[in-house]
């Protein structure tokens, strides 16, 4: 049993990309972090080692976000290891892309299972267990506003995430728990680069008024703010995209 710390966070999808940056940024603020992973334990352990090397506390725990038993075990692990749960940063999600006319239903269902059902399960557990003074942060996408072709099924799943998050903020009245959604724009992660040529990436970056892609650290900074000092931000969707939408 590790000695109880001031605050404890669960970061889903914490093995890489935005999730890893969020885990490391929260740890920088002195938060003990449970780094959740779905399939890549090695990368999750790398995140843990990086946090520990910087003087923080972290542990890794795996499981399917759409499996309620696995996620209940994740929350138990956080409580058993660090004493409770104060922050949820639910970054885990999948992003298969195809035009609506072409996407098969199996892929569509897989997107909704991970992104919608997974968010529901994490949000339900968080609503029951996050301590007063805590923060629940789900992740959407600026594509709900940019409305780019091929993003329809993915954006639809994230629209559902936003709706659930905004309702949950109202349902937790009186609990001193904030509930928000961070909605990144195009961000330089392996998930974003997959299947895109260098020319496409450069074009997307050029569309932003800041003339670059976002970085995982950009998103992590906003997440850490609403997880910590940003207590008056509640029931909001934070479009974190450098002005892209």
């Amino acid at each position: 049993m590790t000695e109880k710390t001031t605050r404890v966070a669960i970061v889903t999808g914490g093995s890489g990309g935005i999730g890893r940056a969020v885990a490391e940024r929260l740890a920088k603020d002195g938060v003990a972090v449970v780094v959740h992973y779905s399939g890549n334990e090695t990368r999750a352990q790398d995140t843990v080692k990086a946090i520990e090397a910087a003087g923080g506390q972290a542990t890794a725990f795996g499981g399917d976000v759409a499996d309620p038993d696995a996620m209940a075990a994740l929350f138990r692990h956080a409580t058993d290891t660090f004493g409770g749960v104060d922050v949820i940063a639910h970054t885990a999600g999948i992003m298969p892309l195809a035009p609506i006319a072409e996407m098969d239903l199996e892929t569509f269902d897989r997107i909704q299972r991970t992104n919608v059902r997974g968010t529901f399960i994490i949000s339900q557990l968080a609503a029951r267990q996050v301590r007063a003074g805590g923060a629940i942060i789900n992740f959407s996408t600026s594509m709900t506003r940019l409305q780019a072709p091929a993003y329809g099924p993915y954006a639809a799943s994230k629209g559902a995430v936003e709706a659930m998050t905004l309702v949950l903020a109202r349902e937790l009245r009186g609990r001193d728990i904030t509930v928000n959604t961070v909605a990144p724009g195009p961000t330089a992660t392996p998930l974003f680069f997959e299947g895109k040529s260098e020319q496409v990436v450069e074009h997307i970056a050029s569309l932003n008024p800041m003339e670059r892609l976002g970085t995982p650290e950009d998103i992590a900074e906003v997440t850490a703010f609403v997880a910590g000092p940003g207590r008056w931000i509640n029931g909001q969707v934070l479009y974190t995209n450098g002005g892209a939408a």
Side-chain angles (χ1 to χ4, degrees):
M1 170 74 74
T2 300
E3 184 180 350
K4 181 181 177 296
T5 58
T6 302
R7 303 191 86 208
V8 179
I10 294 173
V11 180
T12 67
S15 62
I18 290 172
R20 174 167 179 163
V22 168
E24 292 183 351
R25 181 62 183 81
L26 291 175
K28 184 179 178 182
D29 286 343
V31 180
V33 181
V34 178
V35 179
H36 160 270
Y37 63 93
S38 176
N40 198 322
E41 181 179 4
T42 300
R43 288 202 309 169
Q45 293 294 350
D46 287 344
T47 304
V48 170
K49 291 174 184 176
I51 290 171
E52 292 177 338
Q57 296 185 77
T59 180
F61 195 90
D64 177 2
V65 293
D67 180 336
D69 293 333
M71 292 303 95
L74 170 67
F75 276 70
R76 283 196 302 272
H77 178 75
T79 298
D80 292 345
T81 306
F82 294 123
V85 182
D86 302 286
V87 175
I88 301 296
H90 180 46
T91 78
I94 60 172
M95 192 177 67
L97 302 179
I100 291 171
E102 298 175 13
M103 179 171 283
D104 62 88
L105 281 175
E106 182 179 352
T107 301
F108 178 84
D109 288 344
R110 185 161 57 88
I111 295 170
Q112 310 314 311
R113 181 182 183 277
T114 297
N115 295 356
V116 181
R117 176 184 165 103
T119 299
F120 179 83
I121 289 169
I122 292 293
S123 295
Q124 186 176 71
L125 288 164
R128 293 170 178 172
Q129 298 185 44
V130 166
R131 296 182 288 205
I136 300 169
I137 306 158
N138 289 321
F139 272 68
S140 178
T141 174
S142 291
M143 287 302 170
T144 57
R145 296 175 67 178
L146 290 171
Q147 301 156 0
Y151 283 85
Y154 173 69
S157 73
K158 293 302 188 176
V161 168
E162 292 180 10
M164 276 193 288
T165 303
L166 300 184
V167 170
L168 183 59
R170 277 73 186 172
E171 291 179 345
L172 295 187
R173 171 185 289 271
R175 294 271 304 279
D176 189 25
I177 297 170
T178 61
V179 190
N180 292 290
T181 299
V182 172
T187 304
T189 66
L191 187 65
F192 171 78
F193 288 123
E194 185 176 344
K196 296 181 178 70
S197 68
E198 184 177 346
Q199 290 75 17
V200 168
V201 170
E202 289 176 355
H203 174 68
I204 293 171
S206 72
L207 296 175
N208 194 296
M210 305 293 284
E211 297 187 327
R212 66 174 178 87
L213 296 175
T215 67
E217 291 72 26
D218 290 326
I219 311 307
E221 200 64 39
V222 173
T223 305
F225 181 70
V226 293
R231 299 299 298 166
W232 201 234
I233 301 173
N234 188 29
Q236 304 299 317
V237 178
L238 287 81
Y239 292 98
T240 311
N241 57 34

